Structures are given as C-alpha cells and as structure tokens.
Amino acid sequence: GLPPPSDADDAEWLKWRTEKMTAFAKELHDTLRKARPNLLISISPAPYPWSLQHHAADWPGWVKSGWMDEYVPQLYRDNYSRVEKEWPQQLALMGVDRKRDLVGGLRIVGAGADTPWDDLRKMADLVRATGGGGHCWGSGRGVLDDYAKQLTDYYDVETAGPAPHPKR
C-alpha cells in the first residue's frame, strides 16, 4: 500500500518486486501446465543480471525451479564482441544439464546501425559451438529483407535438411 521509494535501486523494493515477479512466473507455469501439459513454455527475458536489476526477473532462479522449458535471453547487441562476452555468462546460469534450454536471442536490426552479417554469423556459430539450444533472430525485417540471401545460404536447408527442435 505504500508508494515506491524514490530510489529505484532500493534493495527492499527490488526484493519485494522480485518476489512478486517470481510468484507470477510460478502461477504462469502452473496455469499453463494445467491447461496444456505438453505445451512448450518459452520466455525471452533480458540478459541476467540486467533482468533482475531492471525488471525484477530472476530467471536463473526460475531455471532451478524448472518452471519454463526454454529461455531466450535478448542478447540484442550490434556487434559480435559483446555477444561473445555475454553469451557464456548466460549459458553458465543454466547449469550443465539445461544448456540446450538456452536459445540466443540475436539482434539483426534495431536502434542504430544494422548488425553486420559477419558478426551475426559469428554469433550464431558461437551459440552452436557452446551447446546452446539454438538461436532466434530479432527482427523480421532483417530476416526477410536485409539478410535473406545470407540466411538462406547459412542454413542451406536443401543440403542439410531442417534442424529438429531440441525439445522434440
């Protein structure tokens, strides 16, 4: 019943908000599982610890609770060097037995310049090489317009066939 503190970084305020978000995550999981037991539950949080500090979303705690099937942290960076630094940190939060449940959310376009194709290719290759569950591209325009040819060549579905979903 009290108004929020003037300091958004107040430890008690963050703790209270995190508890509320965690209770919501559990309720979401329980409600979805009851309605559709075989549904694949996927969420796309901000990278940790930013997700905790700014959205009160302690998704690594949710991983430990087993509530979601797939996590797609939004590593929406416009260059490879930042993803190369941040991806292993996110992967480590999953634990060895859940690495395949982490999918890299990769930015093609956004505010500022488009991510260069060579950086995008290296980002996707990094996720593959480190045992993550795959990657998804942030931006339909980037997939359909900006890098359609490069992505078609990268996946070469005619030669390799479609990749199976890691959960199927």
Side-chain angles (χ1 to χ4, degrees), residues 69-132:
D69 300 303
E70 182 178 80
Y71 296 82
V72 188
Q74 299 172 17
L75 295 171
Y76 294 165
R77 311 299 181 246
D78 62 1
N79 63 70
Y80 174 72
S81 63
R82 289 187 61 200
V83 172
E84 180 183 37
K85 178 184 173 196
E86 293 179 42
W87 173 252
Q89 296 167 351
Q90 305 308 297
L91 200 56
L93 296 168
M94 298 301 288
V96 175
D97 59 333
R98 299 251 356 234
K99 283 173 58 170
R100 300 273 308 161
D101 298 333
L102 191 73
V103 173
L106 307 176
R107 171 205 186 270
I108 296 179
V109 299
D114 294 354
T115 306
W117 169 249
D118 196 49
D119 283 13
L120 290 168
R121 183 189 45 75
K122 289 191 296 188
M123 290 174 191
D125 288 346
L126 173 67
V127 172
R128 286 178 171 179
T130 55

Side-chain angles (χ1 to χ4, degrees), residues 5 8-23 52-53 56-58:
D9 294 325
D10 178 81
E12 286 301 311
W13 170 242
L14 179 59
K15 181 178 180 286
W16 179 83
R17 290 176 51 229
T18 301
E19 289 170 357
K20 295 290 185 190
M21 285 294 295
T22 296
L52 178 64
Q53 297 160 343
D58 180 22

